[in-house]
């Protein structure tokens, strides 16, 4: 039985935009098993090497069989920025 799986991780990324990480690789393993996986990410993480351009509230792209959903959130300048903390609440 195949399932729809949603993984929310505001500071994760794809291999092209950052350092991927466990959320991306977990999603990739679920997709290999045939599940329909949605990985919800923020384009404003300080961990990104390149930030995707989001024209609307969200943007969906397929990366290695994973539906990556970039959700527009609050931008901030550095890891200790107060807007980063505010972004945690807005994103969720």
């Amino acid at each position: 039985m195949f399932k729809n799986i949603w993984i929310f991780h505001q500071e994760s990324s794809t291999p092209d935009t950052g350092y991927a990480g466990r959320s991306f690789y977990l999603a990739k393993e679920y997709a290999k098993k045939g599940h329909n996986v949605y990985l919800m990410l923020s384009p404003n993480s300080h961990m990104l090497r390149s930030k995707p351009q989001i024209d609307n509230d969200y943007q969906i792209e397929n990366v290695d069989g994973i539906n990556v959903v970039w959700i527009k959130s609050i931008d901030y300048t550095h890891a200790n920025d107060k807007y980063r903390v505010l972004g945690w609440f807005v994103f969720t």
Side-chain angles (χ1 to χ4, degrees):
M1 180 167 149
F2 298 112
K3 298 178 181 178
N4 289 317
I5 300 172
W6 291 13
I7 300 172
F8 289 82
H9 196 294
Q10 166 177 359
E11 295 186 0
S12 188
S13 61
T14 65
D16 291 339
T17 58
Y19 304 99
R22 71 181 136 224
S23 298
F24 178 80
Y25 294 113
L26 177 64
K28 191 172 177 178
E29 291 303 314
Y30 281 133
K32 281 184 191 175
K33 301 230 180 253
H35 299 293
N36 191 23
V37 183
Y38 289 86
L39 183 58
M40 315 298 187
L41 307 175
S42 169
N44 295 318
S45 171
H46 67 283
M47 300 295 289
L48 296 176
R49 286 189 309 257
S50 65
K51 294 184 178 187
Q53 294 296 340
I54 307 297
D55 295 327
N56 298 314
D57 290 337
Y58 66 93
Q59 176 177 306
I60 302 173
E61 63 181 338
N62 191 290
V63 179
D64 293 341
I66 303 165
N67 299 299
V68 176
V69 182
W70 295 100
I71 301 172
K72 190 178 268 188
S73 60
I74 295 174
D75 199 6
Y76 58 93
T77 55
H78 53 82
N80 297 326
D81 195 321
K82 63 185 174 190
Y83 290 107
R84 178 180 179 207
V85 176
L86 181 60
W88 295 340
F89 296 101
V90 172
F91 183 81
T92 29

